Amino acid sequence: MREINDILKSCGFQFKKQFGQNFLTDKNLLSAIAADAGITKDTTVLEIGAGAGALTRALCEKAKRVVAFEIDRSLQPVLAEALAGCDNAEIVFRDFMKCDLVALEAELKEYVVAANLPYYVTTPVVMRFIEEAKGCKSLTVMVQEEVAERFCAAAGTPEYGAVTAAIARVAECRVARRVPRAMFIPRPNVDSAVVNMSFVKDRIPVKSAKAYRETVRCAFLSRRKTLENNLLACFRLSREQAKEILSAAEIAEGVRGETLPPERLARLSDLLFEKGHIK
Ligand code: SAM
């Protein structure tokens, strides 16, 4: 088979910056990413952004089935050649953000996500799985290095934020490998990292996922404000009610939301939910 670079050239492919097209070609790296995703011959893989198909091919070699979304139809001839002989690959030329995830999951059943994500849409894609997915076992995704740090951050660090707390409720998150910018064509301005998020049933149990989401949003609403003041602003609590809730959650006065680990945010969200402050 010809190298990806040669296929792209002979197809006259023009990279489109607006789609976050930074492709991988290194076979060892591609195979390592497929291994990071824990793929076996029983695994169904969902890839977002097939690009020139180099990662898709590496996934196909290890998986039972690979369903790959790609927004850019002009990659069709490139993918046809790059995936020749990969009988377990299916390319869907569609914007993943517009696909019906419920219908897709009904078709895939149990699956893992493995992708070199288009960076302009990284967080919305990840949050879609974190908040809506039912059959997803894990996400193994290439993201900008600083985004990877945010996803896996510890409470109280500058990188810790609402996205970290949302992920931590449902999944174990770790940086599987760092990938220098020189590994991509064209070369982006930042380094990257592969993050593995493995879903764990009841990792941090809550009475209401919606209440947890709203509590997290509130806790990080204004980083300069105390949690108490953010609670007043978000849920129209009286000062008295806010103090009562915080005391029941064993959270000291003057604490800022960003210092609270996800487990403590979960306890707070349960109390806000039970007392009817979040419906
Ligand atoms: N998987 C390839 C690789 O590793 O070389 C390509 C990765 S590249 C970073 C991201 C790919 O996602 C691009 O091919 C881009 O066209 C595609 N893409 C961008 N936005 C998308 C969307 N909303 N839905 C599906 N594919 C998208």
Side-chain angles (χ1 to χ4, degrees), residues 19-24 47 49-51 70-71 95-96 116 118 120:
F19 289 148
Q21 291 178 338
N22 300 98
F23 296 168
L24 295 169
E47 185 189 6
E70 176 50 60
I71 200 169
D95 178 346
F96 173 74
N116 170 17
Y120 77 97

Side-chain angles (χ1 to χ4, degrees), residues 244-260:
E244 198 183 297
I245 290 273
L246 288 177
S247 147
E250 298 176 20
I251 296 170
E253 269 187 37
V255 157
R256 285 173 211 282
E258 71 208 48
T259 64
L260 292 178

Side-chain angles (χ1 to χ4, degrees), residues 1 4 28 34 46 67 69-70 72 74 83 118 121 131 145 154 163 184 204 210 258 264 278:
M1 206 202 68
I4 292 289
N28 291 332
L46 173 62
V67 176
F69 276 68
E70 176 50 60
D72 183 1
S74 77
L83 299 178
V121 80
E131 288 178 352
E145 197 169 33
V163 172
F184 298 84
I204 300 178
K210 177 174 171 277
E258 71 208 48
R264 313 265 329 261
I278 307 178

Side-chain angles (χ1 to χ4, degrees), residues 23-275:
F23 296 168
L24 295 169
T25 55
D26 185 279
K27 291 206 175 65
N28 291 332
L29 173 61
L30 292 158
S31 166
I33 296 171
D36 291 336
I39 295 165
T40 70
K41 280 287 167 213
D42 295 324
T43 312
T44 296
V45 184
L46 173 62
E47 185 189 6
I48 292 116
L55 180 58
T56 318
R57 203 176 172 92
L59 298 170
C60 283
E61 280 163 15
K62 290 193 166 50
K64 177 170 79 179
R65 176 185 180 202
V66 179
V67 176
F69 276 68
E70 176 50 60
I71 200 169
D72 183 1
R73 262 194 186 273
S74 77
L75 282 161
Q76 204 273 330
V78 176
L79 283 163
E81 180 168 347
L83 299 178
C86 292
D87 299 335
N88 54 349
E90 296 153 55
I91 305 293
V92 183
F93 284 104
R94 280 194 63 189
D95 178 346
F96 173 74
M97 291 310 286
K98 292 193 181 141
C99 90
D100 176 346
L101 190 58
V102 175
L104 179 63
E105 288 203 313
E107 215 265 299
L108 296 179
K109 310 277 186 304
E110 215 171 77
Y111 65 97
V112 305
V113 171
N116 170 17
L117 286 178
Y119 290 166
Y120 77 97
V121 80
T122 298
T123 303
V125 168
V126 168
M127 290 311 290
R128 207 169 176 206
F129 289 101
I130 294 296
E131 288 178 352
E132 297 170 36
K134 300 277 184 286
C136 184
K137 297 281 126 196
S138 65
L139 307 170
T140 302
V141 288
M142 177 91 76
V143 300
Q144 290 184 28
E145 197 169 33
E146 69 176 58
V147 175
E149 304 294 355
R150 243 186 284 145
F151 283 177
C152 306
T157 61
E159 293 77 23
Y160 183 62
V163 172
T164 326
I167 294 170
R169 185 178 73 80
V170 294
E172 274 164 15
C173 188
R174 71 185 175 92
V175 174
R177 68 184 59 248
R178 313 247 164 204
V179 181
R181 63 194 78 182
M183 301 303 284
F184 298 84
I185 49 161
R187 179 201 272 237
N189 294 327
V190 290
D191 293 321
S192 294
V194 175
V195 179
N196 177 270
M197 290 164 259
S198 292
F199 286 87
V200 178
K201 194 172 182 306
D202 293 331
R203 180 162 197 268
I204 300 178
V206 288
K207 299 216 151 63
S208 154
K210 177 174 171 277
Y212 181 80
R213 268 202 300 279
E214 290 188 22
T215 303
V216 167
R217 188 182 54 81
C218 176
F220 293 95
L221 183 68
S222 171
R223 282 186 176 248
R224 281 173 297 124
K225 285 191 184 161
T226 61
L227 180 57
E228 185 175 314
N229 282 338
N230 275 342
L231 285 177
L232 298 185
C234 296
F235 304 119
R236 299 178 184 211
L237 304 187
S238 66
R239 179 74 60 190
E240 223 57 75
Q241 287 172 316
K243 284 190 187 303
E244 198 183 297
I245 290 273
L246 288 177
S247 147
E250 298 176 20
I251 296 170
E253 269 187 37
V255 157
R256 285 173 211 282
E258 71 208 48
T259 64
L260 292 178
E263 293 78 2
R264 313 265 329 261
L265 290 168
R267 170 88 184 110
L268 177 63
S269 104
D270 283 353
L271 286 162
L272 286 163
F273 181 69
E274 279 166 0
K275 301 240 179 243

